[in-house]
């Protein structure tokens, strides 16, 4: 096994200070990228998608649970399987307490194509409390390019067609016996009674996600902190880091 070079404390501190400058540069570049993401346009969702949940069938607006923003993790769970994808399950394991997202006006749910009975049984086995809905029988997974089936929709994933993937050397994303599942994450904004799709990411676009702030950085309203750009997105729902508005998760008044 290869390990780092052994040096004196003084040499380590010099190297660490030099690397800190690069870390700060990366942080500023990430902030700028997040701001540009919030500047992206959005598109209205016209389809009447139906999902099956513990309380019965619901539409997409119900998944917001009364909040202005919604993050959906497209967990891979084929109807033929007895459990969700192991990598998706590892991702779900690291999702923090949802109260901190809720305090910022953002809901997070899981959506999979497996029937609800299989989802509920597997969720109980894993001990998860994240809301999880079935899109079985709906076009939702196909429209958001996380179930690939040429008999239903032309194959597209991560904003590339199958041919574009093959030319780019990423044909492995779209190869396999159809239908097959892929992971993804999508963000939505509710304005009055209207629902808008603001963002979706796939593949390594989900690297580093799992924390409250990492999810919020993908949304149109962001972290709800005054320093963020573009101006005018804060709605008074913010809980800035280090402020008294950040509470223990059982202290929030939802």
């Amino acid at each position: 096994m290869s390990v780092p070079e052994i040096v004196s404390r003084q040499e380590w501190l010099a190297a660490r200070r030099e690397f800190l400058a690069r870390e700060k540069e990366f942080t500023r570049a990430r902030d700028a990228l997040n701001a540009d993401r919030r500047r992206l346009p959005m598109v209205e969702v016209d389809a009447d998608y139906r999902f099956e949940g513990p309380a019965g069938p619901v539409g997409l607006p119900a998944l917001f649970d009364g909040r202005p923003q919604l993050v959906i993790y497209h967990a891979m769970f084929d109807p033929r399987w007895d459990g969700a994808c192991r990598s998706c399950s590892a991702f779900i394991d690291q999702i923090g307490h949802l109260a901190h997202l809720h305090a910022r006006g953002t809901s997070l749910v899981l959506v999979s194509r497996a029937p609800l009975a299989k989802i509920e049984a597997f969720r109980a086995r894993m001990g998860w409390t994240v809301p999880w809905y079935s899109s079985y029988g709906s076009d939702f997974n196909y429209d958001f390019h996380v179930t690939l089936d040429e008999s239903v929709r032309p194959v597209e994933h991560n904003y590339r067609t199958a041919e574009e993937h093959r030319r780019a050397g990423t044909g492995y994303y779209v190869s396999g016996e159809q239908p097959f599942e892929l992971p993804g994450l999508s963000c939505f904004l509710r304005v009055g009674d209207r629902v808008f799709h603001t963002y979706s990411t796939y593949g390594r676009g989900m690297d580093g996600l799992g924390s409250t702030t990492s999810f919020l950085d993908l949304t149109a309203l962001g972290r709800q902190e005054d320093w963020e750009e573009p101006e005018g997105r804060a709605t008074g729902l913010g809980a800035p880091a280090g402020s008294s508005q950040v509470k223990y998760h059982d202290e929030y008044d939802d």
Side-chain angles (χ1 to χ4, degrees), residues 5 7-27:
E5 178 186 3
V7 298
S8 68
R9 172 59 62 176
Q10 290 77 13
E11 290 173 305
W12 179 90
L13 187 58
R16 180 65 189 92
R17 284 175 171 165
E18 182 180 347
F19 189 71
L20 178 61
R22 293 178 58 195
E23 287 181 320
K24 288 183 178 295
E25 181 181 353
F26 174 77
T27 297

Side-chain angles (χ1 to χ4, degrees), residues 48-53 57-58 75 77-81 110-119 132-142 147 179 181:
D48 183 22
Y49 296 115
R50 306 304 295 175
F51 305 90
E52 191 72 26
V58 296
F77 197 161
D78 188 288
R80 298 166 292 185
W81 302 346
L110 313 176
V111 171
S112 300
R113 198 166 59 93
L116 183 64
K118 285 192 171 184
I119 286 175
W132 198 350
Y133 294 86
S134 169
S135 60
Y136 187 72
S138 160
D139 288 337
F140 183 76
N141 275 46
Y142 304 104
T147 298
E181 310 296 308

Side-chain angles (χ1 to χ4, degrees), residues 3 25 36 45 60 95 97 116 144 157 161 165 186 192 195-196 245-246:
V3 299
E25 181 181 353
D36 286 343
V45 179
L60 183 60
I95 295 175
H97 202 289
L116 183 64
F144 284 84
H157 183 67
T161 65
H165 273 293
S186 296
V195 172
F196 297 88
Q245 293 163 267
V246 178

Side-chain angles (χ1 to χ4, degrees), residues 65-97:
D65 198 21
R67 302 180 184 94
Q69 294 200 124
L70 171 67
V71 176
I72 291 180
Y73 179 61
H74 304 280
M76 296 168 59
F77 197 161
D78 188 288
R80 298 166 292 185
W81 302 346
D82 292 324
C85 158
R86 284 176 168 79
S87 293
C88 290
S89 298
F91 179 90
I92 297 166
D93 277 336
Q94 67 185 3
I95 295 175
H97 202 289

Side-chain angles (χ1 to χ4, degrees), residues 110-167:
L110 313 176
V111 171
S112 300
R113 198 166 59 93
L116 183 64
K118 285 192 171 184
I119 286 175
E120 288 290 274
F122 188 69
R123 185 166 77 125
R125 172 187 167 186
M126 295 291 101
W128 294 328
T129 59
V130 181
W132 198 350
Y133 294 86
S134 169
S135 60
Y136 187 72
S138 160
D139 288 337
F140 183 76
N141 275 46
Y142 304 104
D143 289 348
F144 284 84
H145 310 292
V146 289
T147 298
L148 304 190
D149 187 345
E150 288 178 340
S151 69
V152 180
R153 294 282 186 281
V155 168
E156 177 189 319
H157 183 67
N158 206 19
Y159 310 103
R160 284 176 171 169
T161 65
E163 180 56 33
E164 287 171 332
H165 273 293
R166 284 189 281 269
R167 289 201 302 266

